[in-house]
Amino acid sequence: MIPEIKRKKIISFVKREVVPAMGCTEPIAVSLCVAKATEILGRQPEKIDVQLSANMLKNAMGVGIPGTGMVGLPIAIALGALVGKSEYKLEVLRDVTPQAVERGKEYIAEGRITVSLKNDECDKLYIETQVKAGEAYAKAVIAGDHTHFVHIEKNGEVVLEDTGTRKDGENHDGVDLTLREVYDFATTAPIEEIAFIDEAGRLNSEASRQSLLGNYGHELGKTLSRPLGRGIMGESMFSHILSATSSACDARMAGAMIPVMSNSGSGNQGIAATMPVVIFGRENHNTDEEVTRALMLSHLTAIYIKQSLGRLSALCGCVVASTGSSCGITYLMGGSYEQVAFSVKNMIANLAGMVCDGAKPSCALKVTSGVSTAVLSAMLAIQNKHVSSVEGLIEDDVDRTIRNMTRIGSEGMNETDRMVLDIMTHKK
């Protein structure tokens, strides 16, 4: 059993990391920063200058913005200034209307927005916004976390200065965890204390359902659920997991006005940590309590891994979230802690090194690859089959195995990250 004091810290931690979001969190965080600066300015800005870290720029370039039918940063920035409300946090564009989109298009056409790469040494998650109207200006900076403001000023007067700026990848809540503690918490905490995680299942299931009512992104979810997909993949629990997960991702990446429950600042990670567990639990006839505990195990595993990986990196986040869902599925199969650890090792042996080349509609393909591996890894783990310590990144200690993967993502792939951004910004 986890001591009560630590249990409460973990609950607080999860509630901070698993929150609703509408749209891809990188452009939405930029929109949030612009909205805050505009509120501080007190009137509609005439000019907006945005500087971003390379990782933020990469993840905000090619994704749909909710309610606009448009892709990329300019419309997210314009709408942040015109209708964004910072109190909504990652749902900052909740009040977008067709009229607002038309005003946003005019704002862009008038050349009021500039976006550039922050050349100084900065956090991987960094947004700096300055808005101007006449001689007046306001500035806002987000760093380390999609909603964490570290600096706000107006006309030279500092309104907020966070001297304890959080760095991407740091444990911000002081909750040191091991995979064993993650498992023990999820499987033994009083059910009423962790039942809030069921909202992730409800919200992301609804996003998956609504996605099938439209034509979003590359329509991977629809493709898998159509006769062609059923003919190839069959009518099985496995195909249902892939279809439900990719459907929600299709809608989110295409900019649908559909909220999802995110994990560690990513809606796709929230989807990948949720939908496989929900579908497996339903079709395997697990009890409601078992599904709740499996969801908590999945989400907390993803959060735990992201603590050492960081919010943004060259490593695709679906690897992390799908590792969580593999743990949840293993638990629903009746797996022990040892078998859950086996599923983690199987996941890392297979998917470590999958490159993140920005947020975009084709993320549905990567999420589906991760989720399919999650099911395979759980199937092996429940039979006590796992990748051994003589193979690649895997060690006997599962926590050290996790660190090996996150070191590659946060340190070893930095040059890969730079090359990916260079390719993305120099296409002909």
Side-chain angles (χ1 to χ4, degrees), residues 282-427:
R282 183 177 69 205
E283 300 198 12
N284 194 50
H285 303 297
N286 288 99
T287 65
D288 290 345
E289 178 174 337
E290 286 170 340
V291 172
T292 298
R293 294 192 182 281
L295 277 173
M296 180 57 72
L297 176 59
S298 178
H299 276 274
L300 188 54
T301 298
I303 293 168
Y304 165 52
I305 297 173
K306 289 290 284 188
Q307 283 183 282
S308 57
L309 178 62
R311 279 286 195 271
L312 301 176
S313 74
L315 181 69
C316 178
C318 81
V319 175
V320 174
S322 298
T323 299
S325 63
S326 188
C327 292
I329 291 171
T330 303
Y331 169 77
L332 291 175
M333 288 177 173
S336 63
Y337 165 72
E338 287 72 21
Q339 290 166 323
V340 165
F342 292 163
S343 73
V344 172
K345 293 180 180 182
N346 293 340
M347 287 293 296
I348 292 174
N350 193 342
L351 290 183
M354 183 185 287
V355 173
C356 171
D357 56 342
K360 59 212 175 302
S362 60
C363 284
L365 289 164
K366 292 190 176 185
V367 167
T368 306
S369 294
V371 168
S372 63
T373 302
V375 176
L376 297 177
S377 296
M379 288 171 61
L380 288 174
I382 201 66
Q383 300 176 78
N384 295 316
K385 299 182 185 298
H386 63 96
V387 180
S388 70
S389 60
V390 300
E391 302 174 65
L393 304 178
I394 309 306
E395 300 197 31
D396 290 328
D397 186 315
V398 68
D399 294 292
R400 287 179 60 86
T401 300
I402 289 170
R403 295 298 180 275
N404 292 344
M405 180 184 71
T406 58
R407 279 183 60 206
I408 287 174
S410 62
E411 301 172 31
M413 295 176 71
N414 285 336
E415 184 57 37
T416 300
D417 222 10
R418 285 188 285 270
M419 184 172 290
V420 167
L421 182 65
D422 183 67
I423 291 170
M424 290 174 65
T425 55
H426 291 88
K427 293 180 182 178

Side-chain angles (χ1 to χ4, degrees), residues 120-381:
D120 299 338
E121 189 70 28
C122 65
D123 196 86
K124 287 186 177 183
L125 198 167
Y126 183 89
I127 308 162
E128 182 178 314
T129 298
Q130 185 163 286
V131 296
K132 297 178 181 178
E135 296 299 314
Y137 82 90
K139 181 178 178 181
V141 178
I142 286 176
D145 188 296
H146 292 81
T147 61
H148 183 62
F149 288 93
V150 299
H151 179 85
I152 299 173
E153 69 176 80
K154 181 179 182 180
N155 299 327
E157 179 182 348
V158 176
V159 178
L160 169 72
E161 188 71 44
D162 188 341
T163 55
T165 301
R166 62 183 68 198
K167 295 294 184 182
D168 191 21
E170 287 182 348
N171 182 347
H172 311 313
D173 288 75
V175 184
D176 295 317
L177 292 169
T178 63
L179 187 67
R180 176 85 228 195
E181 288 176 312
V182 168
Y183 176 86
D184 287 347
F185 172 81
T187 57
T188 66
I191 193 65
E192 64 275 9
E193 292 184 7
I194 62 172
F196 67 89
I197 202 67
D198 291 336
E199 181 64 9
R202 188 198 68 77
L203 202 60
N204 292 346
S205 293
E206 180 61 17
S208 180
R209 186 192 70 80
Q210 288 192 38
S211 175
L212 296 178
L213 303 178
N215 297 314
Y216 297 107
H218 299 300
E219 299 181 44
L220 178 58
K222 270 194 166 182
T223 298
L224 290 170
S225 62
R226 285 170 173 159
L228 173 65
R230 294 298 190 224
I232 295 172
M233 301 294 293
E235 187 73 44
S236 65
M237 182 189 296
F238 184 59
S239 66
H240 295 168
I241 287 172
L242 300 188
S243 176
T245 306
S246 57
S247 292
C249 186
D250 281 333
R252 178 175 177 271
M253 290 288 94
M257 290 290 284
I258 301 172
V260 301
M261 192 67 80
S262 66
N263 181 297
S264 304
S266 167
N268 282 349
Q269 288 170 196
I271 291 167
T274 301
M275 293 311 300
V277 173
V278 169
I279 300 300
F280 185 93
R282 183 177 69 205
E283 300 198 12
N284 194 50
H285 303 297
N286 288 99
T287 65
D288 290 345
E289 178 174 337
E290 286 170 340
V291 172
T292 298
R293 294 192 182 281
L295 277 173
M296 180 57 72
L297 176 59
S298 178
H299 276 274
L300 188 54
T301 298
I303 293 168
Y304 165 52
I305 297 173
K306 289 290 284 188
Q307 283 183 282
S308 57
L309 178 62
R311 279 286 195 271
L312 301 176
S313 74
L315 181 69
C316 178
C318 81
V319 175
V320 174
S322 298
T323 299
S325 63
S326 188
C327 292
I329 291 171
T330 303
Y331 169 77
L332 291 175
M333 288 177 173
S336 63
Y337 165 72
E338 287 72 21
Q339 290 166 323
V340 165
F342 292 163
S343 73
V344 172
K345 293 180 180 182
N346 293 340
M347 287 293 296
I348 292 174
N350 193 342
L351 290 183
M354 183 185 287
V355 173
C356 171
D357 56 342
K360 59 212 175 302
S362 60
C363 284
L365 289 164
K366 292 190 176 185
V367 167
T368 306
S369 294
V371 168
S372 63
T373 302
V375 176
L376 297 177
S377 296
M379 288 171 61
L380 288 174

Side-chain angles (χ1 to χ4, degrees), residues 1-13:
M1 287 285 290
I2 303 293
E4 183 178 0
I5 293 176
K6 187 163 190 176
R7 201 170 70 234
K8 288 182 177 179
K9 283 186 177 182
I10 295 173
I11 290 170
S12 176
F13 191 22

Side-chain angles (χ1 to χ4, degrees), residues 20 28 31-37 39 80 83-95 147 149:
I28 292 301
S31 191
L32 171 63
C33 197
V34 172
K36 173 64 81 172
E39 290 165 2
V83 298
K85 292 183 180 178
S86 64
E87 65 190 82
Y88 292 166
K89 295 187 177 180
L90 293 180
E91 295 180 282
V92 60
L93 298 184
R94 187 194 301 170
D95 295 338
T147 61
F149 288 93

Side-chain angles (χ1 to χ4, degrees), residues 43-121:
R43 51 179 157 153
Q44 184 175 309
E46 298 165 1
K47 292 283 186 180
I48 304 174
D49 177 68
V50 175
Q51 296 186 65
L52 302 173
S53 61
N55 287 81
M56 286 297 298
L57 188 63
K58 178 182 74 172
N59 275 358
M61 289 173 60
V63 70
I65 306 303
T68 69
M70 299 173 68
V71 170
L73 280 167
I75 191 64
I77 292 169
L79 291 175
L82 295 172
V83 298
K85 292 183 180 178
S86 64
E87 65 190 82
Y88 292 166
K89 295 187 177 180
L90 293 180
E91 295 180 282
V92 60
L93 298 184
R94 187 194 301 170
D95 295 338
V96 166
T97 63
Q99 294 77 18
V101 174
E102 291 306 311
R103 288 167 57 204
K105 290 177 181 178
E106 293 173 5
Y107 204 86
I108 295 167
E110 290 164 357
R112 297 178 182 273
I113 297 169
T114 59
V115 180
S116 59
L117 185 64
K118 181 73 173 178
N119 292 321
D120 299 338
E121 189 70 28

